[in-house]
Amino acid sequence: SLAGWQDKLASGSWDRSIRVWDVRTGAHAATLAGHSGAVHALVVHGDRLLSASDDGTIQAWSLRTWALLLKVKAKDKGTTLYPLCLAVSGSKLVSGMVGPSDDPHIDDGAKSLSGEVKVWGLEKLDLQQRVRQPVFSSVRALLAVDGEVWGGVQNEVVVWGRTGSC
């Protein structure tokens, strides 16, 4: 995953780290360590870098000091869903959650993927809304445009927020 701002670029990695680079020189500027799983998503908002990992957390980092500011558990107890993608829409952070289905009624002989969208307040990363997706509908990508959130869900593009809910 990648996120850019000013003259910096952050890259999330399978080794659980976030590396920050100076795009003018290519020099390594910082390594942020705090996740215990692969870092799948990064997004910049204001003076913070937000990251999501398969450790089930979303973390907020200072762009000035690189300090970890907030850490929230995005993964609910008893579920296998973790945050795979992030987007900022106004004063909200939207996370696309994905993981093996925890529906006991599904026995398809394979690990069916399931997903949901969670909406967080950006200031405190407090959970404000969740939109469960149908079984086999994992949320793979998010993009926020003009108050709407567009998502790649299986082989479709879904739009949330047309009525102002997101």
Side-chain angles (χ1 to χ4, degrees):
S1 59
L2 299 172
W5 70 101
Q6 297 172 352
D7 61 350
K8 299 286 190 273
L9 175 76
S11 60
S13 178
W14 286 98
D15 72 0
R16 305 181 304 259
S17 72
I18 301 166
R19 288 186 174 80
V20 181
W21 308 91
D22 183 310
V23 295
R24 289 175 287 129
T25 66
H28 177 253
T31 299
L32 312 180
H35 284 291
S36 60
V39 179
H40 293 289
L42 298 169
V43 66
V44 171
H45 179 73
D47 62 352
R48 297 192 300 173
L49 173 68
L50 299 137
S51 59
S53 168
D54 62 14
D55 65 6
T57 67
I58 296 173
Q59 298 182 14
W61 306 84
S62 168
L63 293 180
R64 284 177 273 185
T65 66
W66 310 124
L68 179 61
L69 303 172
L70 285 170
K71 178 179 183 176
V72 296
K73 291 183 181 180
K75 179 180 173 186
D76 297 324
K77 284 187 178 182
T79 183
T80 56
L81 301 179
Y82 62 88
L84 182 67
C85 48
L86 298 172
V88 173
S89 178
S91 63
K92 310 290 185 199
L93 175 70
V94 183
S95 63
M97 308 291 289
V98 66
S101 175
D102 53 4
D103 187 332
H105 301 98
I106 302 221
D107 183 18
D108 63 355
K111 291 282 186 186
S112 302
L113 290 180
S114 181
E116 72 178 357
V117 172
K118 289 186 175 182
V119 181
W120 309 83
L122 263 173
E123 185 67 29
K124 298 178 184 175
L125 294 182
D126 53 315
L127 181 61
Q128 298 182 351
Q129 183 180 3
R130 67 177 69 226
V131 181
R132 187 86 168 152
Q133 300 303 299
V135 175
F136 306 114
S137 297
S138 56
V139 181
R140 298 294 184 149
L142 291 171
L143 175 68
V145 178
D146 296 330
E148 297 176 342
V149 176
W150 296 64
V153 181
Q154 288 310 93
N155 60 350
E156 297 179 345
V157 174
V158 178
V159 182
W160 299 279
R162 289 226 162 150
T163 60
S165 63
C166 227

